[in-house]
Amino acid sequence: MSESDLPPQPPRLKSADLPDIEGTDHDFENSVGPDHNTGVAPPGWVITEPTDISTLPPSSLFDLTQPVMDESAFFEEDTQRPLISLLEPMTVLRTEYENGNQVFVKQIDWLIDRGWVGIRRTRGDGDCFYRSLAYAYISSLLPQSSRSQPQQQQDDTSIINVTKAISYLESTSALLESVGFQKLVFEDFLDLFVGVLKGLISPSAGEGGRVRAKLVEEFNVAEVSNSIVMYLRLLTSAEIRSNPDNYEPFLFHPETGEQMNTRDFCEGFVEACGKEADHVQITALTKALKVDIKVAYLDGRIRSPSSSSPSSHLADVDFVEFVNDEGIEAGDKGKGKAVDGEGIILLYRPGHYDILERRLED
Amino acid sequence: MSDARLRRVNKEIADCKNDKASSVTIDLIDNSPFHLKGSFTGPEGTPYEGGHFEVDIVIPESYPFQPVKMKFITKVYHPNVSSASGAICLDILKDAWSPVLTLKSTLISLQSLLCSPEPNDPQDAEVAKHYMTSKTSFEETARYWTMIYAGGPGKEGLKGSPGLRDEVAMAGLEKAHVDKFEALGFDRSKVIDVLRRLNYRGANVPKINDDRIVEELLK
């Protein structure tokens, strides 16, 4: 069978072929690839993307947005999913992609090979970034495993971590008031947040495994979970509002791509329930909370061989770091340092955030 | 769940009561703190000036994570308020709601909505068309509604009993137009209804011929 006997390939638009997106990809890899510890990723690449997209023809736009649209439709219908789920093996996620985009499957394998064997999912309700971060933040204050240290030492470490976190969170209410939030709208959220933290170190809390199980339970009580999410939204907003010079150049309307002022952006896309977080909100929140986080981008996109080192895998996963530079001077203020150094790691798929873990199950 | 809701609502009611400078008030309708009545005065320099507007407030189960439900009790002539039901089209009452908003701040937003109608995102399409066709005529009608329903200025000047109101002015039409079709033998209230629906006002008048109107009247 000669090559000419083969049926012709159907014409297909590949978003990876579009030069401007490709360019974005290069910048992204060069500045924040796994080998570069360059600190906070430049917010530019995500934020300017809508502007680039608006110049594309409709057909390419469809090709670009369709996977994302499918993804969000999937998550929106999914109201039965717990707000925060128990830890599941990554292989479960893998099976969901087996009949779909094979790049996702390869990227999942890449993560599993490197020890990221567990995923803790959140409900796809627009609060997923804040909820994932909240859970991972609190969880990072607790001992990660019972192997390395004796029980007493672990207890002492988590009491110190949690106590610092409580005093830091309580101190942030002044920041919220300083940007004009009335105490009555946020004090209940803060009380519940602090209450969850206090519960972790109370004498009746029990040992590590039980504390974790209780934390998952509490995160599934809508009032508690949503109060914590809301407090993080307000903290994000307060950070942006109190440093407009740092953030205003990067505030764009997520749908129209138009530049926005600080107040409209914060009211419409930070403080409002269910509005998804983008690069700006993530940068602001990690700074306001004084935590370092890493986000693994499981985006189903093949890295172009020319843009990465020849030895690197084509379906590897970028870990974007959000590093809070104030952490050094304020090291004693509830910094979310994990007990065994792993830190807060989130897993991003187009339109959604979950939590990435090294353990298979709770 | 409702404990937190009750705590929050009580704080909000107290906050509103303590703010003497505010033009907004909140009162209980029955004995439930979750069904309230808000009120405010019509903003100055608008057709609603001098009116007293009341709003029905229902606090949903998962407040403040769900938006408060509000609708006008007082009838209002405004593109973003249903002239029949009082339903309000305002983003913060829907997908732009945030738990940082309070009953007081939401009522203040309603007050500002009266200052700045958004006819392109209407709740009442007929009123919005009126607004777009002739702003002067719209404002006259809105002012008339404020006088009739919200106790706005001018009521003393009304001839006859206060219950007697001018249906033509209520519909934002011109008396001469209504008289003309009534003279053809049609019922006056039917004429008012048809001309209102056809938006027979301002620049639209020459565009709608008499046959079209008669056709509608005969339906």
Side-chain angles (χ1 to χ4, degrees):
Chain A
M1 202 164 159
S2 79
E3 220 177 285
S4 55
D5 291 333
L6 291 168
Q9 286 288 309
R12 201 177 150 272
L13 264 172
K14 280 188 286 178
S15 52
D17 292 336
L18 296 165
D20 43 355
I21 298 300
E22 181 98 336
T24 311
D25 226 355
H26 291 188
D27 296 341
F28 175 57
E29 280 234 323
N30 292 340
S31 55
V32 293
D35 299 328
H36 298 76
N37 289 320
T38 49
V40 181
W45 75 272
V46 168
I47 293 153
T48 55
E49 203 164 270
T51 331
D52 288 339
I53 284 173
S54 67
T55 63
L56 299 176
S59 54
S60 335
L61 255 185
F62 180 81
D63 193 45
L64 266 179
T65 56
Q66 201 51 37
V68 184
M69 304 299 267
D70 293 344
E71 201 79 16
S72 27
F74 169 75
F75 287 122
E76 261 163 43
E77 280 166 29
D78 194 17
T79 51
Q80 289 313 302
R81 189 179 284 289
L83 292 167
I84 290 270
S85 76
L86 292 174
L87 203 47
E88 287 175 43
M90 256 327 225
T91 45
V92 173
L93 187 68
R94 190 186 192 280
T95 56
E96 290 170 21
Y97 283 96
E98 270 166 7
N99 296 320
N101 185 338
Q102 292 305 299
V103 182
F104 278 104
V105 176
K106 290 197 180 110
Q107 287 186 315
I108 291 167
D109 288 341
W110 188 94
L111 286 171
I112 294 172
D113 287 348
R114 277 153 190 81
W116 301 107
V117 293
I119 176 173
R120 188 183 302 280
R121 303 211 205 185
T122 60
R123 188 183 287 174
D125 56 3
D127 288 332
C128 58
F129 168 75
Y130 298 96
R131 208 181 311 273
S132 297
L133 179 61
Y135 181 88
Y137 167 68
I138 298 178
S139 175
S140 75
L141 305 170
L142 301 172
Q144 301 299 298
S145 64
S146 49
R147 281 170 281 127
S148 49
Q149 292 165 315
Q151 184 64 40
Q152 186 55 48
Q153 209 177 324
Q154 286 189 19
D155 287 351
D156 291 348
T157 319
S158 47
I159 288 173
I160 293 166
N161 282 340
V162 172
T163 311
K164 280 180 186 168
I166 290 172
S167 73
Y168 178 65
L169 282 170
E170 285 177 337
S171 77
T172 58
S173 74
L175 173 69
L176 266 57
E177 281 194 279
S178 76
V179 299
F181 293 131
Q182 265 185 291
K183 202 165 191 157
L184 76 87
V185 307
F186 67 77
E187 60 190 358
D188 292 349
F189 305 150
L190 181 59
D191 283 352
L192 277 167
F193 198 162
V194 167
V196 167
L197 289 169
K198 283 186 175 156
L200 299 175
I201 52 168
S202 77
S204 62
E207 48 75 44
R210 254 194 62 206
V211 173
R212 248 164 229 290
K214 193 165 159 258
L215 187 57
V216 174
E217 257 174 55
E218 288 192 289
F219 261 84
N220 281 298
V221 176
E223 184 192 334
V224 176
S225 207
N226 292 338
S227 294
I228 295 175
V229 164
M230 204 50 223
Y231 196 78
L232 293 189
R233 283 186 180 276
L234 298 184
L235 201 52
T236 309
S237 178
E239 163 69 21
I240 298 175
R241 284 171 182 266
S242 57
N243 299 287
D245 294 346
N246 293 353
Y247 295 99
E248 201 147 57
F250 306 108
L251 304 182
F252 296 93
H253 192 288
E255 281 138 40
T256 65
E258 282 165 34
Q259 184 98 40
M260 294 182 78
N261 67 48
T262 298
R263 187 186 157 166
D264 289 348
F265 183 85
C266 287
E267 287 180 354
F269 300 104
V270 184
E271 296 154 23
C273 295
K275 291 293 192 303
E276 286 168 17
D278 209 333
H279 220 88
V280 174
Q281 290 94 327
I282 300 175
T283 305
L285 180 54
T286 50
K287 201 167 169 67
L289 208 53
K290 298 190 190 301
V291 293
D292 299 341
I293 71 164
K294 286 182 195 159
V295 180
Y297 279 80
L298 184 56
D299 52 10
R301 278 154 91 179
I302 298 181
R303 310 286 160 232
S304 158
S306 62
S307 70
S308 49
S309 65
S311 59
S312 83
H313 200 289
L314 291 186
D316 55 6
V317 175
D318 285 327
F319 281 69
V320 176
E321 292 185 49
F322 294 82
V323 181
N324 141 55
D325 46 356
E326 284 173 32
I328 306 140
E329 49 163 356
D332 57 340
K333 285 188 182 173
K335 196 163 165 353
K337 266 272 180 275
V339 174
D340 61 1
E342 202 64 86
I344 298 170
I345 321 279
L346 304 184
L347 177 68
Y348 172 83
R349 285 178 288 152
H352 188 67
Y353 289 89
D354 292 304
I355 302 158
L356 196 56
E357 299 203 21
R358 287 210 185 266
R359 296 171 305 139
L360 263 175
E361 53 192 10
D362 282 306
Chain B
M1 176 58 86
S2 63
D3 271 0
R5 178 172 68 139
L6 181 62
R7 213 165 39 239
R8 163 89 179 226
V9 170
N10 281 337
K11 275 191 267 192
E12 289 196 38
I13 295 173
D15 176 59
C16 203
K17 283 217 157 60
N18 292 335
D19 186 355
K20 306 283 184 228
S22 165
S23 57
V24 162
T25 57
I26 298 171
D27 298 295
L28 295 175
I29 284 186
D30 33 49
N31 285 326
S32 162
F34 305 129
H35 188 199
L36 305 163
K37 186 175 76 179
S39 49
F40 54 83
T41 51
E44 282 174 27
T46 71
Y48 311 98
E49 181 172 352
H52 172 83
F53 295 89
E54 294 188 338
V55 176
D56 183 84
I57 303 172
V58 174
I59 315 286
E61 185 64 36
S62 49
Y63 185 80
F65 300 106
Q66 291 269 303
V68 61
K69 294 186 176 124
M70 289 193 179
K71 64 174 186 182
F72 275 99
I73 298 168
T74 311
K75 278 181 166 289
V76 186
Y77 198 75
H78 186 284
N80 306 106
V81 180
S82 163
S83 51
S85 69
I88 302 159
C89 178
L90 183 63
D91 59 354
I92 57 163
L93 292 176
K94 291 163 188 160
D95 63 335
W97 169 259
S98 166
V100 297
L101 300 169
T102 60
L103 301 177
K104 185 169 91 181
S105 72
T106 308
L107 287 167
I108 291 170
S109 296
L110 288 188
Q111 200 177 24
S112 344
L113 181 68
L114 295 186
C115 302
S116 44
E118 295 280 353
N120 293 318
D121 186 19
Q123 177 72 37
D124 194 309
E126 283 186 11
V127 178
K129 277 188 214 157
H130 188 183
Y131 181 93
M132 308 275 253
T133 309
S134 168
K135 201 167 169 215
T136 322
S137 162
F138 159 82
E139 286 182 344
E140 256 172 50
T141 310
R143 202 170 294 117
Y144 193 75
W145 280 49
T146 304
M147 176 178 86
I148 296 289
Y149 294 120
K155 207 157 188 168
E156 318 76 49
L158 272 188
K159 292 184 197 116
S161 76
L164 196 70
R165 56 189 195 200
D166 182 348
E167 293 300 334
V168 177
M170 290 299 294
L173 297 168
E174 287 189 28
K175 189 169 175 298
H177 295 150
V178 175
D179 289 348
K180 178 174 145 192
F181 291 97
E182 192 186 16
L184 298 177
F186 293 104
D187 180 55
R188 189 172 177 84
S189 63
K190 179 132 200 205
V191 172
I192 290 173
D193 187 49
V194 165
L195 294 183
R196 197 193 71 236
R197 275 194 289 111
L198 291 174
N199 192 22
Y200 198 71
R201 297 158 183 137
N204 263 357
V205 172
K207 290 185 201 154
I208 304 171
N209 69 35
D210 291 0
D211 292 350
R212 171 82 207 285
I213 293 164
V214 171
E215 198 181 299
E216 286 291 323
L217 285 165
L218 288 171
K219 270 183 188 169

